[in-house]
Structures are given as C-alpha cells and as structure tokens.
C-alpha cells in the first residue's frame, strides 16, 4: 500500500512563540534591555508575514522492536534507533515518521546577522525559529493523538535522530521511508537538515503507548547555556 | 585603576555600547565603550593597558557572572557588543604588534553538528580575554582544522558538540589532527561532554563554560 504523508500547514502567526514564552526561554524579562525590544519588534514583524510552517507524518505498521539490539522495523524499513528509543517504542504497533520545518528565514537571517557581528539579534532570531518549529510540531503531535484516540490508540513522545543515542545518519532511512513530501526539507551527506530550523523523528502508536516527562523538566545539565536547572533550583 | 578605564570596564560589564545606546537606563546619555576607548587612546593610555585593565577584566567579570547563573546569554552578548565597539579602535594595534595577543585559538563545531550558540559565546569570551580566535563555524571536518593549523602554527584547538551522537566525532578529529600536528592541544566542550569523556578521547582539557576555556588556555601558556 502506498504511504500517505499527512500534511499540516500553519501560518507563522499561529505557531510563533508569545513574547512571554520567548522572554522566559531566553531569561530576558528586563523590558528595557535591547534584547527584549528586539524580541518585541521581530515577533510583531513575523506575525504579519505570510510565511508558514509545514510538516506532517507518514504512519506505518511496526514489524518488530528489538530493544537490546536497538532496532526497529517499520513496513520493511529498518531503523537503528538505539536501545533507549527502542525501549520507549516497545509497545508501539504503528509508528508515525514525521518532518516539520519553520522555513529557511530563521537560519538565513541568523547567519547574516552573525556575519555582520550582530550576535545578540542572531541569537534571538535563532531562538524564535527553534521555538516556532517545536510549536508547529506540538500541533502536529496533538493532531496525531486526536486522530488515533477514536481507535483506542495512544501515542509516545517524539524522538529524533541525533538524540537519545539514535545516530544522526539514520536520518537518511527516515527520509527514505517518508518519501515525497511537501516540506521542502533536504538532507546533506552528513545527515543535516536544511532549512536548519526543521525537526524529524518518530512517534510510537499503540494501545499501551504513553508520553513521559521529557527535556528541560528532567534534565540535570548544570552547565547548559540556557541555565534551566538554575531557574528550577531557584524556584524550589 | 584609572578613572577612565574604570568607566570603560563598567560600560563593557553592563553593555553600554556608545552614547546613543539607551541601555542600561541608569547610564542613558553617558559615553559608552566606543567613546571611552577613543578618549583613552587620545589621552595616551597604551592600548595594551586598555585591554589588560579594562576590557579583559570586564569580560572576565561577565563570564564569571554567567558561570554563577547571575546573567544569561543576552546580557553576555550585549557585553560582547560593547567589547567589540571598543576593540574596533584597539585592533589596529594588534596588527602593528603594539598589542600582543596571548595566542591563537582555533574553534569549530564538529562535523555532523550545526549547533553554534555555545561555540559563538566561547569565541567572544576568548577573544575578549586577549586571544586571536579563528572560528571554523559548524559541521567542521578534521581537514578544516588541519588546514587552519597549517596557517596558524602553535595554535590551540577547541571542539564543540551538542549531541551525544556527534560528540564522538571529536575523537576522530583529534586523532586525524594529531597524525599531522602531534603536539596540538585540544579543549572540548558542549552539553553532553564531560571531563571523563574528554580524557577518554585524548583531549587536553574539558570546558564546561567559556570561562573554563580561558582558564585552560592560560594554563597551557604557563605550563
């Protein structure tokens, strides 16, 4: 059976972070700081643009999950996801392989700003791009959950090549599985996506699948440049 | 400290770029790093003294506050902007040899990895500490590092990676570079990297943050 890519398109105005969210992400609540003023200005400009985030997924039947070997096969295509991700997906009877991009604007602009020595502005536009693509993917993730719920199926977190010991090079397998799609994302020989503000990965689907606490909430990295753990400790 | 240099220190610490910069509000209308550096040079203060007594200590102070979680990336970047405004007037003395750089630091994010924010911060802080920085950007191969070392003999090398799956590329780079430049010293850093991992792959130092890079580089110089 031919695989179908379920496409979702969101105007940037719907998936851009709010000013509060961006300010929290960057630890920037000083409303007179140039970073804050730039955030206000740039978000406003982007909200009125006609650009959009594009993404979606292809759902396939899971043939096998070998946790110890760190392998997962979906409709005859084998993924070397590593033991950790395989463990998280062991209850999956189906899997959604996804792609999503916020577009080339963010990385192109960040690159140009960095080249001009405007590092602060580059940092902010890069952060807006990161949050935007994740927010678009959150919507797609939610749409998948909604689609599966009437069938009595639940979904897992999303996992991406490059993270949780899933080798980045497996990105090639993922793109091969997804096939033709309207996102326009391309892969370099070293498996890096273009546009940079893009995400890809897998979501497990099954009657016993569940979502787990993830990311900054559970991370213990005290030297992360975003200093999340410092904020959590302060909040305790 | 000379009053002018003290003021310059404060401008860099808080990111006051020039008179027109409205930030920080308590310094609005006052001269910034740009004008104070010009003034210091006009008054005959040696460029090396401006570096050693104002600019370098100011960036060290900002780096320390970042390490302690008292400031975050945007504040650091604004300080770097003020520092760069000052450096515009100091840089000609680097080329004339009147101000000596401490050495050269070649840095890049390893091949297979596009994350550059941490690496960019290190570039700014190390440059602010008086080093010449050669930034190879992201997705940098061993060959790129070898080429840069051919151009800058005696340089130290910094490798950055954000992913557990790309930090292993650090070892490939270290091994390949050591085949051509056996004495080169490496500092590695990035979210998933640890001191244990650094030792395991043959790096000479692990930097948890930009201040660590500076301390390690100073250590190499004084060894």
């Amino acid at each position: 059976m031919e695989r179908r890519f379920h496409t979702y398109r969101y105007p940037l105005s719907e998936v851009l972070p709010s000013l509060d969210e961006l300010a929290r992400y960057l630890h920037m609540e000083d409303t007179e700081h140039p970073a804050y003023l730039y955030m206000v200005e740039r978000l406003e400009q982007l909200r009125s643009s006609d650009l959009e985030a594009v993404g979606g997924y292809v759902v396939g039947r899971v043939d096998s999950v070998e946790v110890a070997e760190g392998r997962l096969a979906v409709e005859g295509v084998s993924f070397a996801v590593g033991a950790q991700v395989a463990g998280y997906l062991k209850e999956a009877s189906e899997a959604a392989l996804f792609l999503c991009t916020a577009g080339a604007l963010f990385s192109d602009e960040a690159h140009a700003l960095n080249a001009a020595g405007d590092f602060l502005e580059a940092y902010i536009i890069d952060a807006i791009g990161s949050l935007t693509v994740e927010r678009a993917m959150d919507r797609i993730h939610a749409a998948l959950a909604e689609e599966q719920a009437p069938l009595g199926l639940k979904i897992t977190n999303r996992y991406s090549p490059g993270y949780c010991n899933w080798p980045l090079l497996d990105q090639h397998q993922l793109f091969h599985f997804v096939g033709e799609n309207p996102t326009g994302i391309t892969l370099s020989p070293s498996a890096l996506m273009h546009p940079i503000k893009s995400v890809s990965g897998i979501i497990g689907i099954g009657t016993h699948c569940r979502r787990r606490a993830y990311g900054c909430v559970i991370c213990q990295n005290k030297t992360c440049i975003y200093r999340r753990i410092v904020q959590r400790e302060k909040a305790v | 400290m000379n009053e002018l240099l003290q003021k310059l220190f404060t401008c860099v610490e808080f990111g006051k770029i020039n008179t027109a910069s409205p930030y920080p509000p308590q310094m609005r209308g006052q001269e910034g790093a740009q004008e104070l550096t010009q003034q210091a040079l006009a008054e005959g203060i040696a460029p090396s003294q401006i570096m050693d007594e104002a600019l370098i200590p100011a960036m060290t102070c900002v780096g320390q506050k970042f390490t302690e979680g008292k400031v975050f990336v945007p504040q650091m970047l604004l300080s770097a902007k003020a520092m760069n405004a000052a450096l515009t007037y100091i840089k000609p003395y680097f080329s004339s040899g009147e101000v000596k750089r401490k050495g050269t630091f070649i840095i890049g994010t390893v091949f297979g990895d596009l994350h550059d924010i941490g690496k960019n911060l290190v570039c700014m802080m190390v440059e602010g500490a008086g080093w010449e920085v050669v930034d190879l950007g992201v997705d940098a191969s061993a060959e790129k590092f070898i080429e840069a070392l051919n151009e800058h003999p005696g340089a130290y090398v910094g490798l950055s990676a954000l992913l557990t799956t790309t930090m292993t590329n650090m070892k490939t780079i270290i091994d390949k570079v050591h085949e051509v430049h056996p004495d080169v010293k490496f500092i590695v850093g990035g979210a998933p990297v640890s001191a244990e991992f650094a030792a395991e792959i043959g790096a000479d130092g692990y930097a948890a943050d930009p201040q660590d890079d500076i301390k390690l580089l100073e250590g190499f110089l004084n060894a």
Side-chain angles (χ1 to χ4, degrees):
Chain A
M1 197 174 73
E2 199 178 317
R3 296 182 188 123
R4 184 168 81 86
F5 190 87
H6 300 246
T7 305
Y8 294 85
R9 293 178 182 274
Y10 303 107
L12 278 196
S13 56
E14 285 184 21
V15 285
L16 281 166
S18 68
L19 179 59
D20 281 354
E21 189 184 352
L22 181 61
R24 271 197 310 279
Y25 183 70
L26 299 179
H27 298 285
M28 181 37 64
E29 274 133 27
D30 175 354
T31 56
E32 293 193 69
H33 195 280
Y36 193 93
L37 300 175
Y38 186 73
M39 280 157 46
V40 173
E41 180 193 320
R42 209 59 194 92
L43 280 176
E44 200 178 299
Q45 288 165 349
L46 287 164
R47 267 200 195 93
S48 59
S49 82
D50 55 4
L51 296 169
E52 56 182 13
V54 189
Y57 51 81
V58 173
V59 175
R61 183 197 65 255
V62 173
D63 303 324
S64 61
V65 183
E66 297 166 74
V67 177
E69 289 75 21
R71 298 201 72 85
L72 168 105
V74 185
E75 294 187 353
V77 179
S78 182
F79 297 93
V81 294
Q84 195 179 350
V85 175
Y88 294 148
L89 297 174
K90 67 182 177 199
E91 307 284 1
S93 52
E94 288 179 290
L97 281 301
F98 65 84
L99 299 176
C100 183
T101 184
L105 172 123
F106 299 99
S107 39
D108 288 353
E109 198 173 315
H111 185 74
L113 287 164
N114 269 326
D118 293 324
F119 303 114
L120 178 60
E121 291 78 2
Y123 175 64
I124 291 166
I125 200 76
D126 183 274
I128 296 174
S130 297
L131 290 175
T132 301
V133 69
E134 289 299 340
R135 282 170 58 96
M137 197 51 225
D138 285 345
R139 303 256 311 246
I140 294 171
H141 206 154
L144 176 68
E146 211 168 290
E147 184 187 276
Q148 300 299 324
L151 309 171
L153 298 171
K154 294 177 186 138
I155 63 171
T156 66
N157 295 44
R158 46 184 194 257
Y159 302 100
S160 298
Y163 295 85
C164 298
N165 301 313
W166 182 0
L168 195 64
L169 281 176
D170 226 28
Q171 196 90 270
H172 291 291
Q173 282 291 80
L174 194 152
F175 274 69
H176 164 69
F177 183 91
V178 170
E180 286 287 307
N181 68 82
T183 62
I185 305 170
T186 56
L187 270 190
S188 75
S190 53
L192 297 171
M193 287 184 284
H194 185 82
I196 293 172
K197 293 303 170 193
S198 302
V199 292
S200 65
I202 191 167
I203 300 168
I205 303 167
T207 47
H208 297 294
C209 284
R210 66 186 175 94
R211 295 181 76 164
R212 301 161 180 268
Y214 185 64
C216 296
V217 183
I218 55 163
C219 179
Q220 293 301 314
N221 186 351
K222 291 196 177 196
T223 59
C224 158
I225 57 165
Y226 294 106
R227 297 295 196 263
R228 298 272 171 256
I229 202 165
V230 179
Q231 293 301 94
R232 284 213 307 277
E233 282 168 356
K234 276 184 186 166
V236 171
Chain B
M1 191 198 297
N2 174 303
E3 198 188 331
L4 194 54
L5 295 183
Q6 179 62 56
K7 276 189 190 169
L8 181 55
F9 175 103
T10 309
C11 284
V12 172
E13 183 186 0
F14 294 103
K16 174 75 175 165
I17 300 163
N18 53 32
T19 310
S21 320
Y23 194 85
Q26 68 274 18
M27 293 171 80
R28 197 165 287 165
Q30 295 176 21
E31 290 166 317
Q34 189 182 317
E35 294 86 3
L36 292 172
T37 305
Q38 285 175 293
Q39 213 174 307
L41 289 168
E43 284 185 17
I45 300 175
S48 56
Q49 193 183 349
I50 298 173
M51 283 295 290
D52 295 343
E53 292 183 22
L55 303 182
I56 294 175
M59 285 310 277
T60 307
C61 170
V62 174
Q64 189 56 36
K65 286 202 275 186
F66 179 73
T67 302
E68 292 166 5
K70 291 177 181 164
V71 298
F72 298 98
V73 177
Q75 289 90 344
M76 263 180 110
L77 292 175
L78 194 61
S79 289
K81 212 167 185 172
M83 168 88 180
N84 281 336
L87 279 181
T88 307
Y89 302 96
I90 305 287
K91 274 182 178 165
Y93 298 94
F94 289 139
S95 5
S96 72
E98 201 169 322
V99 179
K100 295 236 177 310
R101 301 268 204 182
K102 293 177 181 169
T104 304
F105 185 51
I106 298 167
I107 184 169
T109 302
V110 299
F111 61 92
D113 201 322
L114 284 173
H115 297 90
D116 64 354
I117 293 168
K119 187 258 306 160
N120 290 346
L121 284 176
V122 172
C123 287
M124 288 170 217
M125 299 305 288
V126 172
E127 187 176 27
W131 292 75
E132 180 182 5
V133 175
V134 178
D135 181 3
L136 301 185
V138 297
D139 199 16
S141 63
E143 291 68 30
K144 223 168 165 182
F145 282 96
I146 291 169
E147 209 176 294
L149 280 160
N150 291 340
E151 283 173 33
H152 303 275
Y156 301 103
V157 175
L159 302 178
S160 171
L162 188 89
L163 305 174
T164 49
T165 47
T166 55
M167 70 184 202
T168 49
N169 297 344
M170 289 175 160
K171 180 166 167 47
T172 310
I173 293 176
I174 292 175
D175 291 347
K176 281 191 177 175
V177 169
H178 275 159
E179 282 172 20
V180 186
H181 298 280
D183 299 325
V184 170
K185 288 197 188 309
F186 282 89
I187 299 174
V188 294
V193 180
S194 65
E196 294 72 30
F197 176 76
E200 205 177 288
I201 62 170
D204 302 275
Y206 160 67
D209 60 30
Q211 277 310 102
D212 280 352
D213 284 279
I214 295 165
K215 285 181 199 158
L216 284 162
L217 286 168
E218 306 278 343
F220 293 156
L221 273 189
N222 300 324

